[in-house]
């Protein structure tokens, strides 16, 4: 294998890791918000609702937005075509 393949593999692994970290954090926020709304955690009800909304948004909309950012950065890393 050459260096470009190794670099691409390492970059893909890091991107996969960040997507899953985002999903896990969002899921934790969602579950904590549900616990607050059910009075399992001591916090105001509105805080639980905000946590649920942010957790759901992060879980469903965060990974596609982050993946789009990754592809944008990958395009910038490529060498621009040489002009004739």
């Amino acid at each position: 294998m050459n260096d470009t393949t190794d670099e691409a593999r390492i970059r893909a692994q890091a991107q996969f890791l960040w997507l899953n970290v985002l999903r896990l954090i969002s899921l934790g926020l969602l579950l904590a918000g549900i616990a607050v709304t059910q009075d399992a955690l001591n916090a105001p009800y509105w805080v639980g609702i905000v946590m649920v909304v942010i957790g759901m948004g992060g879980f469903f909309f965060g990974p596609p937005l982050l993946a789009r950012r990754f592809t944008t950065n990958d395009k910038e890393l490529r060498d621009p075509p040489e002009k004739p």
Side-chain angles (χ1 to χ4, degrees):
M1 285 201 290
N2 57 20
D3 292 334
T4 57
T5 311
D6 290 338
E7 291 174 8
R9 184 179 53 83
I10 290 170
R11 187 179 307 119
Q13 287 176 344
Q15 291 172 355
F16 182 75
L17 175 71
W18 281 111
L19 288 172
N20 285 313
V21 165
L22 176 64
R23 285 184 184 117
L24 287 175
I25 290 172
S26 298
L27 183 62
L29 191 63
L30 175 68
L31 292 175
I34 291 171
V36 168
T37 59
Q38 298 298 315
D39 289 331
L41 294 176
N42 190 14
Y45 184 80
W46 66 271
V47 172
I49 296 296
V50 169
M51 290 170 69
V52 166
V53 169
I54 292 172
M56 287 181 67
F59 189 84
F60 290 112
F61 300 115
L65 293 174
L66 191 58
R68 186 178 304 157
R69 178 152 172 98
F70 288 150
T71 57
T72 302
N73 287 342
D74 287 345
K75 289 177 185 175
E76 292 173 359
L77 292 175
R78 294 183 194 141
D79 294 331
E82 295 181 18
K83 295 181 181 179

